[in-house]
Amino acid sequence: MIIEPNSHTLGARVLELDLSIKLKDNEIDALMHALGSHSVLEFPDQSLSTSQLKSFSERFGQLYISPGGRAQAQGHPEVMILSNMLKDGQALGIKDAGQSWHTDMSYSKMIAFANVLYGTTIPHRDGKPLGATQFRDMRAAYEDLPADVKQTLADKTITHDFNKFWEMMRTRPGSTRPALSERERQARPPAVHPAVLIHPISGKKVLYANPGYAIQISDLSEQESTEMLEFLFAHQLKDKFLYTYQWKKNSLLMWDNIGTIHNAVADYEPHEHRYIERCQVMATRLYDARGTTQPIMFASGSTV
Ligand code: SIN
């Protein structure tokens, strides 16, 4: 395989690798390291069935199955469909997934390592692709924090709550999301993680906060916590950390959820169709079952 980094701190293209064929262990290891270094990997011109997408994704860790059971591919509950398309009047998938800055599964005790998305229908207008996925680099964002903020965050944890993002999406015009039931809330209780994580592959510090789910910083008063979170959200959303991926038909995009936050750009209309299949890979190869404070192995001398 050839890994071609782009000119940003995020992003690389992986060429000459057919993901429909079972990869060797050393190829998976090389991709894990590439994710640690470049965070967002594009694999252009792939031809994958749903089951091949799943087989590739599960080499990186356990695949998440959404307890809601919504928008799952037929016969493959680990594969979710992100789409605004209808068939016989029925939605084929989730039409508004990820349309605000967040980190997938930060509200879960076992966090997500990677997202794997395979796009087969990409909206276009006047020849230009729409529905980009944007990223911000949380290693660079951490490095760029003022020294006193780094010091404050060093021993802090942040609570992340699934309901925060859900409620925000419900306020959007035209949203059809109902409020979460008590059972749905209990299925995804809030989780607590260090505000700064040592990335388990790169060994670099990353800011592990995101506007989608982060609700409270430990050991601060409510007001101090709110002010600090507002500061962190404004900081991490600065343009200098931004990388935008414009989709191409039949590309597979894989990204590291530990060192980035992301946003799905909602700049297309209902008749401009988008169809993407997604697997969410949990960080089960990187952390033990006790969660983010217990990494299995770091980059130096790692088995990853
Ligand atoms: C997501 O948050 O996983 C969705 C990203 C996208 O559809 O671009």
Side-chain angles (χ1 to χ4, degrees), residues 82 97-98 102 104 115 117 133 247 255 262 264 274 278:
L82 314 181
H102 67 291
D104 284 38
N115 278 21
L117 272 66
T133 309
W247 278 92
W255 68 83
H262 65 276
R274 189 177 194 258
R278 176 184 76 187

